[in-house]
Amino acid sequence: MEIYLLPVTDAQSAGKFIIYRPVHGLAFIGNRSMTELCLALAGKAPLPAGGVPQEVLDFLNTLGFFDQDVPPAPPDPAFQPVMATLLLTNQCQLRCIYCYAAAGEFPPQQLSAELGCAAIDYVHDTAQRLGRTSYEISFHGGGEPVMAWEVMTACTEHARLKPVKAILTLTSNGMWNARQTEWILANLDGVGISMDGGLATQNRQRPTAGGWRSSTRVMRSLAKLDQHNFHYGIRMTALAPWQSLPEDVRFICENTGCKGMQVEPAFNAGRGRHGQPGDQDAAAFVEAFMQALEIANQAGRVLHYSGSRLGTVTTTFCNAPYQALVVNPSGQVVACFEIATDSHALLQLSTIGHITHGQVSIDEAARQALHALIAGQRAACRDCFCYWSCAGDCYTRSYDAQAGVFRRGVRCDINRLLMEKLLLRAIEQGGGVWRSPTRYSAPLSMAAFENLEPQA
């Protein structure tokens, strides 16, 4: 039995502990005596000499405390992807102030239709061989995919002609013209929109290449999606100071029909790189997120952050390094959506194959070496109560390419502090006990937003 005992940091609950079984999906509050007893019943300490009162055993049995853990299976070692992510271009109409890829600032690179179709063939044939009823193609990029319009439309047509059903999704900034909007509505199955909230926040953080406001055009695109009941989610980036996050979420809830939002904090000092959070960022972001969560849930919407996923039981933070065929414009098969250009610091570490003359070739030694590195990173987290939810977190956020080592920092503090807050909230709303209603594996796809319930 895997069990974690978390001292409650709330001053009003001094001396209390969260008794947490992540794999089983159970958490409740106990005093020190109950905590020590649960530890003993889990086989981690000696049982009390006088035995365990029957009423306590009955209470714990009612909670399902003695049920067996069923951990998830590790990733399949065989590379059998039924999803391809096509990183179409490094060009973009926006100049987001935090853009890790500095999209639009480098000489144009574009995935060719030949490379895209080869990737589609590979995952389709894998899905067919495995007897799957569908496979997924995601248009993504270090820039804005619609800037490679001809390639995206050609790949869509190619995928739709296959005998196995294609599920086609797009991650976009929403800066579409009328013709593009109509095509997206008619040809795709889902869209992930990158926008940051209210008009002021959106325009400040995501200006156009010419320095103009982007909010009007994006809101027009969202209105069209809502008008057609089209499935989409919104991915927000939050920057310090964090106080605007709750109102940005409120804006989305009041002005769009979006059902699912993901917010990620960024700490970049500028474009083209990732920054590291400071000591004050953890508590401030967590407080803002919890306020935003209440607003979202009151509106019947889902809000989540990738590093703290209450209810998740997974062995991998993200599926991309394991069972996704991610292809960049150079034809390299990479292990992360961010490795879109040859200039990325983790390119060598993350390249696990290539496409040449229409053939996909996987470098199994490179793939296994990366997996071993990620596994070692996660093993260092074994004593952490977030071990099964963040699963070691995103490797691109914690790997120092220059030093060749993983570094733990304030992002881990954010993950743990937020998970504690989410547990306390769920326990209170559950009348003293939290039981996981569902468990889902990372990463969240567009379809996953349809299956999640608001954390109310």
Side-chain angles (χ1 to χ4, degrees), residues 86 88 113 116-118 120-121 124 135 137 139 148-169 183-184 186-189:
L86 307 182
L88 294 187
C117 290
I120 290 168
D121 291 345
H124 167 270
Y135 68 105
I137 304 300
F139 299 114
W149 186 254
E150 290 77 12
V151 175
M152 185 171 72
T153 55
C155 288
T156 297
E157 182 178 359
H158 184 76
R160 292 296 189 202
L161 292 173
K162 295 289 186 180
V164 179
K165 179 183 178 181
I167 298 175
L168 299 168
T169 61
W183 184 91
I184 288 167
N187 290 278
L188 300 184
D189 298 295

Side-chain angles (χ1 to χ4, degrees), residues 239-251:
L239 301 177
W242 311 104
Q243 292 88 332
S244 66
L245 176 59
E247 291 308 311
D248 287 326
V249 168
R250 188 189 306 278
F251 176 88

Side-chain angles (χ1 to χ4, degrees), residues 378-389:
R378 185 171 183 244
C381 304
R382 192 60 188 89
D383 294 334
C384 179
F385 69 95
C386 295
Y387 179 79
W388 291 105
S389 54

Side-chain angles (χ1 to χ4, degrees), residues 195-237:
M195 70 168 290
D196 293 346
L199 303 183
T201 299
Q202 171 74 10
N203 294 328
R204 181 180 65 254
Q205 296 184 182
R206 301 177 66 83
T208 70
W212 298 96
R213 295 173 295 181
S214 61
S215 59
T216 300
R217 198 162 172 183
V218 174
M219 293 304 296
R220 186 166 60 235
S221 296
L222 294 180
K224 274 290 189 180
L225 296 178
D226 289 332
Q227 180 182 340
H228 289 79
N229 294 316
F230 193 83
H231 177 48
Y232 71 97
I234 289 178
R235 199 275 196 190
M236 306 171 63
T237 297

Side-chain angles (χ1 to χ4, degrees), residues 4 47 64 80 139 171 187 193 197 228 244 277 356 362 372 435-436:
Y4 294 87
L47 288 167
Q80 302 183 97
F139 299 114
T171 298
N187 290 278
I193 297 290
H228 289 79
S244 66
T356 306
I362 301 300
R435 295 183 179 89
S436 177

Side-chain angles (χ1 to χ4, degrees), residues 20 22 309-314 388-390 436 438-442:
Y20 180 38
R309 296 169 288 185
L310 183 60
T312 295
V313 182
T314 181
W388 291 105
S389 54
C390 90
S436 177
T438 183
R439 299 170 187 169
Y440 53 89
S441 296

Side-chain angles (χ1 to χ4, degrees), residues 14-31:
K16 300 289 184 65
F17 293 79
I18 301 173
I19 300 168
Y20 180 38
R21 289 190 57 198
V23 178
H24 183 47
L26 173 67
F28 56 99
I29 302 292
N31 58 20

